[in-house]
């Protein structure tokens, strides 16, 4: 690994830790030339899964886009960052287990909503209102009544 400071390829690993449930490795390194420390991250390179949007255009599945949507739905809620990360990881794992090359955007939204319903009901309603394009208070009432009638899973 090249040092980001002196650009020499002479370093040694000080520490190695797994992250994201074992799907990522973080390494602390020290350059043997300039003695500066830096960190690296290794992730599993996954096949590019494409999202088929409503207009039939396709774009790569973006983990960060899912995270941003969940963070926006959870804003000003008492949902810890590590819980959000766990949900994003679970969503990504489920998508890659169930789909190989393409996934309809509608399915991504449904998977996110299912996970959000278990995480935080208010965040779920916020996400659903944008995702399902609620147009009136009746849309909110219908979704809340649907949410309250379903069995609660832990």
């Amino acid at each position: 690994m090249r040092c980001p400071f002196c650009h020499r390829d002479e370093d040694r690993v000080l520490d190695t830790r797994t992250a994201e449930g074992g799907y990522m490795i973080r390494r602390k390194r020290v350059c043997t030339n300039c003695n500066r420390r830096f960190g690296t991250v290794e992730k599993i390179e996954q096949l590019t899964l494409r999202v088929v949007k409503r207009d039939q255009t396709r774009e790569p599945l973006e983990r960060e886009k899912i995270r941003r949507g969940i963070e926006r739905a959870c804003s000003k809620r008492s949902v810890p960052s590590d819980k959000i990360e766990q949900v994003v990881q679970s969503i990504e794992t489920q998508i890659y287990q169930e789909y190989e090359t393409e996934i309809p955007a509608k399915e991504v939204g449904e998977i996110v909503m299912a996970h959000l319903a278990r995480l935080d009901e208010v965040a779920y309603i916020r996400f659903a209102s944008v995702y399902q394009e609620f147009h009136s208070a009746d849309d909110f009432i219908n979704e809340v009544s649907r949410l309250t009638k379903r069995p609660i899973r832990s």
Side-chain angles (χ1 to χ4, degrees):
M1 185 66 62
R2 289 201 182 274
C3 172
F5 308 106
C6 71
H7 307 289
R8 298 281 298 269
D9 190 11
E10 300 170 22
D11 69 87
R12 64 186 171 90
V13 176
L14 298 175
D15 186 33
T16 299
R17 295 180 186 226
T18 60
E20 293 186 20
Y23 290 98
M24 183 168 69
I25 297 176
R26 294 184 182 277
R27 297 189 197 277
K28 291 180 185 174
R29 298 174 181 264
V30 64
C31 176
T32 56
N33 183 57
C34 69
N35 290 322
R36 300 214 30 208
R37 293 175 182 232
F38 61 98
T40 59
V41 175
E42 293 179 32
K43 289 185 90 172
I44 296 172
E45 187 175 45
Q46 294 182 333
L47 299 173
T48 304
L49 186 66
R50 302 191 71 72
V51 176
V52 182
K53 299 177 82 174
R54 289 182 188 154
D55 64 0
Q56 297 304 306
T57 59
R58 287 156 171 76
E59 64 180 43
L61 178 69
E62 294 180 42
R63 175 189 179 90
E64 286 307 309
K65 202 170 185 179
I66 293 170
R67 179 194 310 283
R68 281 192 308 271
I70 292 171
E71 286 175 342
R72 203 172 297 126
C74 292
S75 74
K76 299 185 181 176
R77 300 289 301 155
S78 60
V79 180
S81 296
D82 64 322
K83 284 285 188 195
I84 291 174
E85 178 57 37
Q86 288 174 3
V87 168
V88 171
Q89 183 65 49
S90 296
I91 291 167
E92 189 178 39
T93 299
Q94 181 180 346
I95 289 171
Y96 277 101
Q97 284 177 345
E98 295 178 12
Y99 297 89
E100 289 185 27
T101 57
E102 292 184 339
I103 179 172
K106 180 176 176 37
E107 287 299 314
V108 175
E110 295 294 330
I111 291 169
V112 171
M113 287 194 337
H115 285 266
L116 270 176
R118 290 189 297 269
L119 178 68
D120 185 276
E121 291 179 343
V122 172
Y124 166 82
I125 294 297
R126 286 177 176 172
F127 186 88
S129 71
V130 173
Y131 170 70
Q132 294 178 343
E133 299 175 352
F134 289 2
H135 296 291
S136 68
D138 287 338
D139 294 337
F140 279 94
I141 292 167
N142 291 337
E143 194 61 36
V144 169
S145 66
R146 208 174 67 106
L147 182 65
T148 57
K149 288 179 183 172
R150 70 173 174 74
I152 298 174
R153 295 185 290 175
S154 297

